Amino acid sequence: MSSTQHTPLPYYEDRSPGAGTLPPRPWTPSSDAARLSLNGTWSFRLSPTATAEDDAFARPGYDARGWDEIPVPGHWVLHGHGAPIYTNVRYPFPVDPPHVPAENPTGDHLRVFDLPGDWPDGGDAVLRFEGVESCARVWLNGEELGTFKGSRLPHEFPVGGLLEPSGNVLAVRVHQWSSGSYLEDQDQWWLPGIFREVTLEHRPEGSLADYFVHASYDHTTGEGTLRIDSDPGGRITVPELGLDLATGESATVPVEPWTAETPRLYEAWLTTVGESVSLRVGFRTVVVEDGLLKVNGRRVLFRGVNRHEFHPENGRAVDLATMRRDLVLMKRYNINAVRTSHYPPHPAFLGLCDELGLWVIDECDLETHGFGVLDWRNNPVDDDRWTPALLDRAERMVERDKNHPAVVMWSLGNECGTGRGLSAMADWIRERDPSRLIHYEGDHSCADTDVYSRMYAPHEEVDLIGRRTEPPWSDPELDAKRRALPFIQCEYAHAMGNGPGGLSEYQRLFEAHERCQGGFVWEWIDHGFTRRAPDGRFYHVYGGDFGEELHDGNFVCDGLVFPDRTPSPGLIEYKKVIEPVRIEGAEADGAGGADGTVRITNGHDFADLSHLAFTWTYEAEGEAIGSGELAVPPLPPGESVELKLPAPPPGAEAGAETWWTVEARLAAATAWAEAGHTVAWAQLPAAAPGTGARALASGEAPRCEGDRIVLGPGVFDTATGALTSLGGLPVTEPPRLDIWRAPTDNDNGASWQPDERWGVIWRRLGLHRVRHRTDAVETTPDGALTVRTRVAPAAVDIGLETVYRWTADTAGRLSLAVSVTPLGEWPCPLPRLGLRLGVPAALGDAEWFGGGPGEAYPDTRTAARVGRWALPVDELQTPYVRPQENGARIDVRWARLTAPDGSGVRIEGDPAFWFTARRWTTEQLDAAEHTPDLDPSNDTVWLNLDHGQHGIGSQSCGPGVLTEHRLNATSAEFSFTFSRLT
């Protein structure tokens, strides 16, 4: 007879949340109790496994002089010890819960500190950790305090009886991998370390163990009701409201409510026998009523973004100034909501949301996505042995953050499948805090939630959901419940690389259907770490650049701002799409504003328009010739007014293209922007240019001169018909048809996408390596040079018959009319359709009349203004972390490139065209993995003059390009006129 003995799991592998910690309590930024920051430089030793070293380092007197040093907060992999790892879904270790690999990097941290001379006598003290990844064991003065998991959540230990006036030894052992890692698979870098603050807090006798602010608002009476529960009891004073209450008592008084648009806060003081803390109270009520999510009695529309915590040098150790910078940028770009993907943020971030005004979905530190690739076998959220750990995470989130008015929803976590553990979390949260809603996207039955949430639902599905006609759920009771819930997209419009496209179409659906209450773009920032190239240029790296054996490449770079927090074209587009004021030509115009009538609609949920000043500008051919103020009444939310613009000011030449530009700007400075900051704008055509096609140059006849043909200012190769110079200006690469672009991340799509991934299909067809065959070079009696070609890739029988017809006039203009006819059955749209040519590198300054100032594509064009713009060629590029198609300017009427001496070339198009100029070829752009891979040419600026561009979409994780934005292979005609500038 034999028996099996089970060795207890080590603390870093057991399923428990830890041992020895105190119950969670609110984060209190302002208290009269003494505090000591333990941030700074700590001694550090890294071991390859969890058991490589004993715990002798925790004892007073241990000699750590041979150790390295590391900053706290910080991540050891960003300070020369190991390397970051990026995975999206897959765990970077064998999936054998709750076990982790023997190769478990373990960082021992030491800090010796003295108490300040004025540290109070008596009372207790707690040692507080705001965030440690992923498991910590803690000692103070040789006494073990306990262990904890839950990386982005606070943990406290009682230490009052252990403190000495000087020479206190704080020792913390941190394991990179633990059972908690199975609950933290959150599409981000794996970054171990003590990455948030460590604080020693004095707890006087009678100090606050807990308090809960209840501040509701009755929109029918305009009154707020305040009650604050606390342990122990005390008194509440709100001087501005004249309130002096015992804790637990309620008072109802007239108040101004808190909303994301009007973030009204009242200073309050909570005082007990041992402690006094200052609070900022915001009165608001959140409910689901009539199938809608309402705050203070009104439907809200989330113009949101998902936000990971990230800094390009410090990882998730994000300082207060960077947090504020993020939120100020969001407010300036009309963003009104944040989902804290996929864990509670640093608590100071929520205080800033209270102050500046953003709705918050506070998400629990929970994701088990890696089990999804295993058909959810052994998923912890459906295993009762893990439920205590799940509940601990829910409790720590709610208790820490419950007093923030900005938080309107608790999210159970992200991409965890379904299971009993999630239901237990929902039940606990609902019992503890019935004043907020519960969110979770991963269970489309909505069994535990108060909203119906989806990720990346395509436009047509959003339309069905908005009409409450989506396909039924299998359970009739749950189906009825779900249909009665408001709908949000907790993730949509994947902002990876060039994009996202389709934003304006989503926004129209959100505004058309009451049930569709907006969404949260994925995501805020590209998680690229800063690196310096050998030539000194800074760039950013992504998954795989640290030698990871398993990684997901640049999928970690999918933000609306670049790693240095520079706004991307996607953020500029998003700001325009979600602007809270609509400025349009009145419907009666027919031509939309041509008679000088403009309609202003207040799209705010709560604020009237009294905080905005409106102006008009009248422009002719992109030049402003008049401006003034527009008197707009302080419209309440949802209301519209039609106004007459003034008579057009004189000064426009006859036949000039003229536009009204109307802007809504902040009338006074706010906490997030100066007076004059533009909130919304629109352009209305005042008078279109003359009708009919632009006249092509004609009148000159081609003549043969040896091995060249001369036509006006143009010189052509006799054999190929290729243009070699223009008025003496060398053409370094002759104009010819171009259909290839360096695929965007959205062109390439994601491997799991069920739809066509056009970037993959284009490459498979060989569109990146087409060949040009010249079939004929002809001069015709009407004075034209005609070149007939066939453009096609190898190994397939599709192609494009292309005819170039050149003409010239005596004024020195050279025109090219292009006709394109598809040959064969094209199974895909084209990447682009237009001309590519090269001009001398000296032509480094660009000016154009058309859309700008930034790039735009068919489904990312909302933010492009018609005007005259000028930029150096080098500044026309968008530095996406992974290089790809970028920089196209839309609706260009004319463009010119000039050298410092003013010489150059002018190009006019009919119809208007996309204009791109760069110092490297599309092939070089396609081959580059990082921005330093692009070496500017010393000889050539390459131009693309495109008749059409394929849309962008967001298929790197979301839906592809909408049908109306696809560039189908059909017959096309377009023309350009070239003039030499001297």
Side-chain angles (χ1 to χ4, degrees), residues 222 252 268 365 497 509 739 860 909 949:
T252 300
D365 190 10
L509 291 168
I739 60 172
T860 65
Q949 276 269 359

Side-chain angles (χ1 to χ4, degrees), residues 744-753 757-760 955-957:
T744 67
D745 292 313
N746 288 304
D747 288 337
N748 288 330
S751 59
W752 61 83
Q753 292 283 6
R757 297 163 58 201
W758 297 125
V760 175
Q955 202 172 4
S956 52
C957 193

Side-chain angles (χ1 to χ4, degrees), residues 322-399:
T322 301
M323 295 179 217
R324 181 177 286 275
R325 182 181 177 188
D326 276 346
L327 288 173
V328 165
L329 268 176
M330 291 179 194
K331 293 290 287 188
R332 289 178 179 174
Y333 283 82
N334 292 330
I335 290 166
N336 72 356
V338 177
R339 175 178 174 232
T340 68
S341 53
H342 297 295
Y343 40 84
H346 190 287
F349 181 82
L350 299 178
L352 291 172
C353 291
D354 294 339
E355 172 192 333
L356 297 173
L358 286 101
W359 311 113
V360 175
I361 299 180
D362 197 356
E363 192 149 270
C364 196
D365 190 10
L366 177 61
E367 180 168 339
T368 64
H369 203 175
F371 288 91
V373 299
L374 305 174
D375 297 324
W376 298 108
R377 292 187 303 275
N378 300 313
N379 185 8
V381 304
D382 201 29
D383 183 335
D384 292 338
R385 294 173 295 177
W386 291 86
T387 299
L390 305 185
L391 287 172
D392 180 76
R393 290 171 184 247
E395 292 169 16
R396 290 186 183 280
M397 172 182 70
V398 171
E399 299 296 356

Side-chain angles (χ1 to χ4, degrees), residues 574-914:
Y574 193 41
K575 175 185 179 178
K576 176 65 178 141
V577 166
I578 62 175
E579 58 190 14
V581 179
R582 290 289 182 230
I583 305 170
E584 305 163 297
E587 290 181 7
D589 292 356
D595 72 345
T597 302
V598 61
R599 177 187 294 108
I600 310 290
T601 302
N602 183 1
H604 290 90
D605 296 325
F606 297 93
D608 64 24
L609 296 187
S610 59
H611 65 295
L612 298 175
F614 289 78
T615 61
W616 60 264
T617 304
Y618 188 76
E619 298 172 348
E621 297 295 318
E623 298 283 0
I625 59 174
S627 62
E629 297 181 357
L630 184 66
V632 177
L635 296 172
E639 296 297 315
S640 300
V641 65
E642 292 187 5
L643 301 170
K644 277 286 189 180
L645 293 164
E653 295 183 8
E657 182 177 349
T658 55
W659 290 81
W660 296 100
T661 300
V662 178
E663 294 188 86
R665 300 171 179 264
L666 289 180
T670 68
W672 46 269
E674 297 295 326
H677 167 78
T678 299
V679 172
W681 61 272
Q683 288 187 303
L684 311 174
T691 58
R694 294 184 178 89
L696 298 179
S698 62
E700 285 279 300
R703 62 185 187 274
C704 293
E705 296 181 356
D707 60 354
R708 66 180 195 167
I709 300 172
V710 178
L711 176 60
V715 177
F716 299 81
D717 180 80
T718 302
T720 63
L723 178 69
T724 59
S725 72
L726 174 71
L729 180 76
V731 178
T732 57
E733 181 176 300
R736 63 180 184 177
L737 191 74
D738 190 18
I739 60 172
W740 180 244
R741 72 183 188 194
T744 67
D745 292 313
N746 288 304
D747 288 337
N748 288 330
S751 59
W752 61 83
Q753 292 283 6
D755 300 324
E756 301 97 336
R757 297 163 58 201
W758 297 125
V760 175
I761 294 172
W762 294 338
R763 201 176 295 276
R764 187 184 305 143
L765 285 171
L767 301 191
H768 59 304
R769 47 173 173 77
V770 296
R771 296 291 181 262
H772 299 255
R773 186 185 74 206
T774 301
D775 291 335
V777 178
E778 306 165 344
T779 58
T780 57
D782 60 356
L785 171 65
T786 300
V787 182
R788 304 183 186 279
T789 69
R790 187 178 190 274
V791 180
V796 293
D797 61 355
I798 58 173
L800 298 164
E801 182 181 78
T802 307
V803 179
Y804 308 93
R805 187 175 187 273
W806 293 93
T807 55
D809 64 15
T810 55
R813 300 190 311 155
L814 183 67
S815 293
L816 170 61
V818 183
S819 65
V820 180
T821 304
L823 303 172
E825 296 295 325
W826 280 79
C828 63
L830 299 173
R832 69 177 348 131
L833 181 68
L835 296 181
R836 168 171 141 176
L837 68 153
V839 297
L843 306 188
D845 291 308
E847 184 181 4
W848 71 99
F849 175 40
E855 72 181 29
Y857 292 81
D859 53 350
T860 65
R861 61 179 296 160
T862 310
R865 294 196 195 203
V866 176
R868 285 185 67 163
W869 311 102
L871 283 172
V873 166
D874 296 331
E875 294 182 23
L876 292 174
Q877 316 311 307
T878 302
Y880 293 112
V881 174
R882 187 194 72 80
Q884 55 198 273
E885 165 63 32
N886 73 88
R889 270 55 179 183
I890 198 170
D891 289 338
V892 174
R893 284 72 160 162
W894 59 260
R896 64 184 187 184
L897 285 145
T898 56
D901 63 3
S903 64
V905 62
R906 175 185 168 103
I907 305 162
E908 298 175 61
D910 185 27
F913 59 99
W914 271 275

Side-chain angles (χ1 to χ4, degrees), residues 27 39 72-75 78-79 130-131 152 188 191 194-197 307-327 330 341 343-349 352 524-525 527 529 563 565:
W27 184 69
N39 296 343
V72 171
H75 303 279
L78 300 183
H79 294 279
E130 297 294 347
R152 292 111 206 164
Q188 61 180 336
L191 298 172
I194 305 173
F195 66 95
R196 290 182 186 161
E197 291 81 359
R307 175 188 176 268
H308 269 297
E309 291 183 307
F310 184 76
H311 187 281
E313 295 172 354
N314 303 326
R316 279 189 291 282
V318 180
D319 60 277
L320 185 64
T322 301
M323 295 179 217
R324 181 177 286 275
R325 182 181 177 188
D326 276 346
L327 288 173
M330 291 179 194
S341 53
Y343 40 84
H346 190 287
F349 181 82
L352 291 172
W524 175 241
I525 189 168
H527 303 199
F529 285 113
R565 286 174 163 77

